[in-house]
Amino acid sequence: MVCAELWKRLVALEPDEVARRAGVRLDGDGAYEVDVLNEIYRVDPRAREVVRTEPPAPSKSDFMRNTAIVAYLLGAEEIPPSGEWVGPRDLIGGREFFIKPHEVPVQKLVERFGSDRGAFEEACTTLGGRSEQYADAAFSFLLFPRLPIAVLLWLEDEEFAARATMLVDRTAGRHFQLDALWAGMKLVRNALVAAAGPNG
């Protein structure tokens, strides 16, 4: 369940203006259709409801995901991505925020994909990722219509342990407060791990 205060703020906004800022569609009932990692969610502020419509299958209620979607609708600005990748800590306030307990959430990616490039590439493709020329394997995604995010993976070898990181577009801090951006990065991490399934 999304915080009541966030719903209250969203209901108070002009729907056409929100849709334009966020780059989302508005249906005839005043609900928003938001693309999230190759899925579509219908956000109905008056019913206080977030429902996945594509692919057409039941989706479990997910507090973190739903809150991130509503936070995006509230904060998105009508600006295109800059095309410049930066680390989350390079955003204004990032060096203070992205430390324990809010470190960039990649450890589960390392555990699942650190020795399995094939599974990583397959999971990224499933989520609509685009291959990027970084690290040993890297993919970028549109987490939300105006928010690209990239996941970089270095595989383990005889000398070095596996590691991973995430990059965001330079404009990310314009759309999101840092806590909501952190939640969005966790959405990407969780979706990749779920798409890959268990090891072996």
Side-chain angles (χ1 to χ4, degrees):
M1 179 178 293
V2 177
C3 171
E5 179 60 28
L6 294 184
W7 283 125
K8 182 178 178 181
R9 289 171 54 197
L10 188 58
V11 167
L13 297 177
E14 171 57 45
D16 287 331
E17 185 262 342
V18 172
R20 185 181 67 254
R21 283 192 294 99
V24 303
R25 298 173 295 280
L26 190 65
D27 71 16
D29 297 322
Y32 305 99
E33 294 181 349
V34 185
D35 295 340
V36 184
L37 289 177
N38 224 25
E39 298 180 338
I40 298 175
Y41 288 83
R42 183 176 187 271
V43 183
D44 186 337
R46 298 195 179 278
R48 299 187 174 190
E49 183 176 69
V50 180
V51 177
R52 189 179 75 187
T53 58
E54 292 290 339
S59 62
K60 296 189 299 182
S61 179
D62 185 316
F63 171 80
M64 182 179 65
R65 179 197 65 211
N66 294 352
T67 298
I69 292 172
V70 173
Y72 173 74
L73 292 174
L74 286 169
E77 294 188 15
E78 193 179 359
I79 54 174
S82 69
E84 179 185 358
W85 293 114
V86 298
R89 298 190 71 203
D90 293 325
L91 299 173
I92 294 175
R95 293 193 182 279
E96 294 75 29
F97 181 82
F98 289 106
I99 56 177
K100 290 183 179 180
H102 299 116
E103 292 177 313
V104 176
V106 293
Q107 185 55 39
K108 290 182 181 179
L109 297 176
V110 172
E111 294 168 359
R112 177 60 185 87
F113 300 114
S115 59
D116 195 342
R117 177 175 183 159
F120 177 69
E121 292 178 340
E122 184 175 348
C124 290
T125 301
T126 297
L127 297 185
R130 183 179 70 181
S131 181
E132 301 284 353
Q133 298 301 309
Y134 302 110
D136 291 326
F139 283 79
S140 61
F141 309 87
L142 271 181
L143 173 57
F144 296 110
R146 299 197 190 280
L147 184 59
I149 188 167
V151 179
L152 283 60
L153 175 70
W154 289 265
L155 300 165
E156 68 178 6
D157 60 25
E158 294 180 355
E159 295 186 60
F160 299 103
R163 62 189 179 95
T165 193
M166 292 186 186
L167 302 177
V168 296
D169 190 82
R170 172 67 75 181
T171 61
R174 301 272 300 272
H175 303 299
F176 265 125
Q177 294 185 358
L178 296 183
D179 57 348
L181 178 60
W182 181 67
M185 291 190 292
K186 291 178 74 174
L187 287 185
V188 175
R189 178 203 66 189
N190 292 349
L192 285 171
V193 172
N199 292 51

